[in-house]
Each structure stands twice: as structure tokens, then as C-alpha cells.
Amino acid sequence: MALLITDECINCDVCEPECPNGAISQGEEIYEINPDKCTECVGHYDTAQCVEVCPIDCIIPHPGIRESRDELMRKYERLAAQS
Ligand code: SF4
Ligand code: SF4
């Protein structure tokens, strides 16, 4: 699944530069994750880098987007082919 930033986000900007897929950006009120680009860091790291650095733990599994590790790996490969 992709990850989701909840409205508890304090806009600290720590997560955005850590994302290897450029999936995080500042939205109108809080930071947002583009689910088309979030691979849960599969293909790059063993753990979700944004979750590691968020000081208030407001990044959670997206409740509406469930993907297997294989699907996340295929998304990583698609993104890598585009870059
Ligand atoms: Fe980016 Fe990884 Fe966080 Fe997804 S889990 S938004 S790919 S840092
Ligand atoms: Fe928001 Fe957490 Fe990212 Fe900071 S690290 S901008 S609090 S989601």
C-alpha cells in the first residue's frame, strides 16, 4: 500500500527530501504523498524513510490503497524506467 500523511502533520519538511521517489510534496495545508509514486521505499530501502524521520509519527498505511510487495516492486520498476 502507499502511505498517507494525516492532518496531524506539522509541516516540518523533514520527510520530503528523504523520499527516494519524489512522492512527497507540500499540499495546500499539509504535506502529501502521491500514491502513484510511493513504493513504501521498496526497491530503495528496507524501511519507509519518511516514517523513520517523521517526528510525530503521522504517516500511516493508506487505508484505501493496498498493494503487495510484488506490486510495490513493479511500481518501483515502472518509476525507475521513467527516470
Ligand atoms: Fe517516499 Fe518511501 Fe515515504 Fe513512500 S514510504 S512516501 S516512497 S519515503
Ligand atoms: Fe509532516 Fe511528518 Fe513530513 Fe514533518 S515529517 S512534514 S510532520 S509528515
Side-chain angles (χ1 to χ4, degrees):
M1 64 210 94
L3 300 188
L4 176 76
I5 296 173
T6 72
D7 59 12
E8 288 165 31
C9 171
I10 56 171
N11 292 316
C12 73
D13 191 37
V14 168
C15 57
E16 190 269 338
E18 298 299 326
C19 179
N21 294 325
I24 304 174
S25 61
Q26 185 158 27
E28 276 189 27
E29 295 187 0
I30 57 170
Y31 275 71
E32 297 174 348
I33 294 174
N34 179 346
D36 293 333
K37 290 187 172 179
C38 176
T39 63
E40 283 189 60
C41 287
V42 167
H44 292 280
Y45 302 104
D46 290 338
T47 56
Q49 299 298 290
C50 56
V51 173
E52 296 279 339
V53 298
C54 179
I56 58 163
D57 297 331
C58 69
I59 305 175
I60 62 171
H62 196 303
I65 303 177
R66 305 215 173 271
E67 295 159 301
S68 68
R69 191 175 176 85
D70 284 351
E71 287 171 317
L72 291 168
M73 184 55 84
R74 282 198 291 277
K75 190 192 292 187
Y76 161 74
E77 288 165 355
R78 274 201 308 277
L79 291 168
Q82 287 167 10
S83 61

